[in-house]
Amino acid sequence: MKRWGDLPQDAADHLSAGAVLDQAEMAVVVTDRFSNLLYWNPFAEKLFGHSGPPGSPEPRGLTPSLMEADHPLAVEAAKQVLKGGVWEGTFEVKRGDGTMIYVRAQAVPLRHSSGAVTGIVITAREAMRSNEREKDRFGLLERIGERLAGSLYVEETLKRVAEMLVPQFADHCFIELMEGERLTRRVSTHVQGWNPPPDTWAPLGAEIRYPAGHYADTALRRQETVLVEDFARTSYPSPSEGSTRLAAEVGLTSAIVAPLCVRGETLGLMYLGLSNLTDRRSPHYDTFDRDFVGAIATRVALAVDNALLFEEERHTAESFQKYLLPRALPQLDGLEIAVRYYPAAPLASHGQGIQTQVGGDWYDVIPLSAGRVGIVIGDVEGRGAKAAAVMGQLRAALRAFAQDDKPPAEILARLDEWTRIIATPEQDDSGEDISVPPIVTCQYLVYDAWSRELSFANAGHAPPLLLADGTCVELDIKEVGQPLGVRAKGVHADLVYKEETRTLPPGASLLLYTDGLVDRRPLRDSGSHPLSDEENLALLCDKLVECSGGSVERIADAATVAVPGEIDDDMAILVVRSSAADLEVEERTFAAQPIMVSEARRMAAEAFTGWNVPEERAELACLLVSEVVTNVVLHAANSGVPRRDLVMDGGALDFDESWDLPGFEDEDEGEAAAEKEFTLRIRRGRESVWVEVFDQDLRLPRIRSAGENDEGGRGLYLVDQLARRWGSRPTQEGKAVWFEIPTRSR
């Protein structure tokens, strides 16, 4: 060496840039402007998990190693550096073995001799593993808080905690939560590839009892973070002999126990331990680590508390929804039914905070007269408890309206009025009512399995899908009315909702659904663009055609997963299928004369015999047939004369009640009585028979209270006492009285 600073040639060779970087205990990575890797040193390979020669096509910058949530952060950092700036921050890195660590990185521009920025130079090291721990602490706590804030469920939150702490900060991590008065182990995570043997450390789900004087018991009682810097210098009582033996085998060196406290309540404990299972620069925790873990525990406690509150809210919402929807579907003749309901995913990913999953979608299946059935699908706009409460009121109201057996259009008209009634009362400054009714789409259908007639009315809801003969198409609906609650003032509801009728083919299926089925959001990071509702509907139809020959349960399952993406709104599905075989029915029309009562009974007896109805049940049904038919004949004889127009030559004369036309009334009454008829219809079901009697009298029957000496007035009382159900409904020509008799003995 000739002068100070001059080095021998062999020493200079060892101080080349590559040689120095190969020895550096810091990752050095160089990329071009397009994030292609140009260089990394051996420590970078160890830290990030890269392998292979520089410039290989597989890795692109740090992106493959970064956790998914940090990809946008890396993009923003690259943009800033390529503009000539300097970026520094904390990344989450996933190693090749699946473990996750936090890395503190700095990125600076790589400049050409001309001054142009040609790439990025990144230096990185494991956070909290240098003399800059105080500086690293704030960035690391921020990242940990962000990671925990994105968790909605307790198990997911605890899993994230374990990923954050093992192996970067601990070889062993236990988390125990309070369940009433019990402390239960919920997390037991250890360094990669190692698990405690049986009968040593307590397993998941076990109740944990720390003895008095144990450092964990001290942390729990005092609600403060406790540090055991070196187990070789201290002695504590052990929970069990197996625990003591295993701690000696793995060489447990140091531990920190932090209570999980939030809002004055202790939720549990977080235990971190170091052992000889890993080769660390320092196998012991210090006071700085204790304070840092205590700060982490505060964030963990808050995240766990939020997750517990959310799960409680979710459970309440799901229970609320469960009891608002039908708990069990009725068994109906000539109809197979399958239903599905799925709540929407929480909206946290939308940046709208945690919201309840409950919504306003509903379905219903309502048994009506003589085996007919009402089918309902509806959707209240919005989500949350308010939408569900409105849905519950509308469902209850519609079930009540349906029992009147009115036409579907009339049912929707009444439901529209009810939607306005339940609107939250609001007034403006002048006291005027400005209540805004909820917006509800709804479709109500009535299906008769014996005639296969389907009548329906629609209030702004998506048409059902009809699966028949290997095709899937929307049910042809001519009149789609406005949603409930939006009808303009002055327009009567009867003008808005129109009834239509179709005949359902044998073995055909109908799929009724709410818009959550086709309105999906793409899966995160799927790279796919959102499809339109029309494209989703076409995709749904294709999938349904493939399984149209299967059961209704299979169709419902196929519909649920036919459209890709996450459920953006709650979703209700109802699938019904008509019977492939015709159901048995007997029908005959009689003159409304007393002598025909016995004929009607004879017809019923022959039908019951042919259907092998048990004799006891058949006799009871025949008795009630006699009572109902007798009631119809008696009222037909006593009913008033239909009003007729009297036309004379020279024009119509003004009617005067004092006019007396001898013989006119008697003659017309006889003709009217002779013209009156009734129809007896008997339907056979799997477990019941239904009897219907139709006549032209508009008066609906009612039960009378007959006196001891009255000769009549007990017919409907007998029907009410002996039939399973009975009722009456208006028809276009008059009315129908019906009753149901089970074919099995009680």
Side-chain angles (χ1 to χ4, degrees), residues 69-277:
D70 276 350
H71 288 181
L73 183 62
V75 172
E76 290 301 318
K79 289 180 179 179
Q80 180 177 335
V81 174
L82 291 175
K83 293 178 180 178
V86 176
W87 184 91
E88 185 175 359
T90 304
F91 282 116
E92 296 177 60
V93 172
K94 190 171 186 179
R95 288 171 161 172
D97 60 3
T99 59
M100 189 273 291
I101 64 170
Y102 286 95
V103 170
R104 189 69 178 177
Q106 184 182 63
V108 298
L110 175 65
R111 297 185 182 275
H112 188 264
S113 57
S114 64
V117 177
T118 60
I120 302 173
V121 178
I122 302 166
T123 56
R125 55 183 170 75
E126 188 176 350
M128 304 290 289
R129 288 294 176 264
S130 73
N131 295 327
E132 300 184 35
R133 292 193 297 171
E134 186 70 35
K135 181 179 179 181
D136 291 351
R137 175 177 178 173
F138 299 104
L140 193 53
L141 285 176
E142 180 183 3
R143 298 313 313 280
I144 290 175
E146 291 174 359
R147 183 169 174 81
L148 290 175
S151 175
L152 296 175
Y153 302 97
V154 174
E155 294 301 326
E156 180 185 356
T157 300
L158 298 180
K159 179 182 177 182
R160 291 189 178 187
V161 172
E163 288 178 349
M164 291 185 302
L165 300 178
V166 177
Q168 184 165 15
F169 302 112
D171 296 333
H172 313 279
C173 174
F174 301 108
I175 298 180
E176 287 113 22
L177 297 183
M178 299 297 299
E179 296 180 0
E181 298 296 325
R182 301 171 66 248
L183 190 64
T184 304
R185 180 153 291 174
R186 301 291 294 274
V187 168
S188 178
T189 302
H190 311 274
V191 288
Q192 193 77 10
W194 187 88
N195 287 298
D199 300 323
T200 53
W201 288 340
L204 292 177
E207 181 179 1
I208 306 300
R209 297 178 180 271
Y210 292 109
H214 192 277
Y215 51 93
D217 178 67
T218 302
L220 194 62
R221 285 187 295 102
R222 296 182 180 178
Q223 293 191 0
E224 63 182 30
T225 303
V226 174
L227 165 68
V228 181
E229 190 168 349
D230 190 348
F231 280 108
R233 300 179 182 178
T234 55
S235 177
Y236 294 95
S238 176
S240 66
E241 293 183 4
S243 174
T244 303
R245 185 175 62 255
L246 184 61
E249 290 178 1
V250 300
L252 197 64
T253 57
S254 187
I256 297 176
V257 182
L260 303 178
C261 301
V262 61
R263 287 187 278 272
E265 180 181 358
T266 302
L267 302 180
L269 286 175
M270 183 174 71
Y271 182 112
L272 302 182
L274 295 177
S275 68
N276 293 330
L277 293 177

Side-chain angles (χ1 to χ4, degrees), residues 403-652:
Q403 299 308 313
D404 290 342
D405 267 325
K406 296 294 180 64
E410 188 171 338
I411 297 295
L412 287 188
R414 295 183 64 183
L415 197 63
D416 178 72
E417 294 294 338
W418 185 253
T419 303
R420 299 168 184 276
I421 291 174
I422 65 175
T424 305
E426 296 182 16
Q427 294 181 340
D428 59 14
D429 296 338
S430 60
E432 293 292 331
D433 183 19
I434 57 171
S435 301
V436 179
I439 299 176
V440 184
T441 64
C442 180
Q443 179 145 352
Y444 180 59
L445 309 90
V446 175
Y447 180 64
D448 188 329
W450 281 263
S451 66
R452 302 186 184 279
E453 184 177 275
L454 181 73
S455 57
F456 55 87
N458 190 298
H461 202 83
L465 299 179
L466 175 63
L467 282 74
D469 300 325
T471 63
C472 178
V473 295
E474 288 188 333
L475 186 67
D476 181 27
I477 299 179
K478 305 295 184 184
E479 299 285 347
V480 177
Q482 296 176 354
L484 306 176
V486 301
R487 174 171 51 87
K489 289 185 177 181
V491 178
H492 197 273
D494 292 341
L495 302 176
V496 178
Y497 306 112
K498 303 295 183 181
E499 181 178 353
E500 300 181 47
T501 303
R502 303 284 185 275
T503 299
L504 209 57
S509 299
L510 275 180
L511 175 74
L512 293 84
Y513 62 94
T514 57
D515 55 7
L517 177 60
V518 295
D519 186 12
R520 302 286 184 96
R521 63 175 181 260
L523 294 172
R524 285 175 291 180
D525 300 312
S526 63
S528 60
H529 68 282
L531 301 177
S532 66
D533 289 349
E534 292 75 14
E535 292 173 320
N536 284 336
L537 184 60
L539 185 61
L540 173 62
C541 288
D542 292 340
K543 297 294 184 181
L544 293 179
V545 168
E546 295 176 3
C547 64
S548 59
S551 66
V552 290
E553 295 291 340
R554 182 183 173 192
I555 293 174
D557 289 336
T560 302
V561 298
V563 180
E566 293 182 279
I567 300 176
D568 203 37
D569 192 4
D570 54 332
M571 175 180 68
I573 299 174
L574 192 152
V575 183
V576 296
R577 172 180 284 163
S578 65
S579 172
D582 293 334
L583 303 185
E584 294 180 291
V585 60
E586 294 289 341
E587 182 175 332
R588 182 179 168 187
T589 300
F590 302 89
Q593 298 176 1
I595 195 174
M596 292 301 173
V597 175
S598 59
E599 291 295 322
R601 179 165 181 152
R602 183 179 298 110
M603 170 196 161
E606 292 174 353
F608 297 147
T609 301
W611 294 341
N612 297 319
V613 176
E615 183 177 357
E616 176 189 356
R617 302 281 91 194
E619 289 182 356
L620 175 59
C622 288
L623 170 63
L624 299 187
V625 167
S626 297
E627 294 297 335
V628 174
V629 170
T630 299
N631 192 65
V632 168
V633 170
L634 289 177
H635 284 84
N638 298 329
S639 62
V641 182
R643 179 174 178 178
R644 299 182 179 181
D645 293 328
L646 179 62
V647 180
M648 298 183 178
D649 293 339

Side-chain angles (χ1 to χ4, degrees), residues 29-32 34-38 40 48 50 56 58-66 74 122:
V29 178
V30 181
T31 73
D32 63 14
F34 305 100
S35 297
N36 295 306
L37 279 174
L38 302 178
W40 66 89
F48 295 112
H50 290 313
S56 60
E58 294 181 3
R60 288 182 57 82
L62 297 178
T63 304
S65 298
L66 297 184
I122 302 166

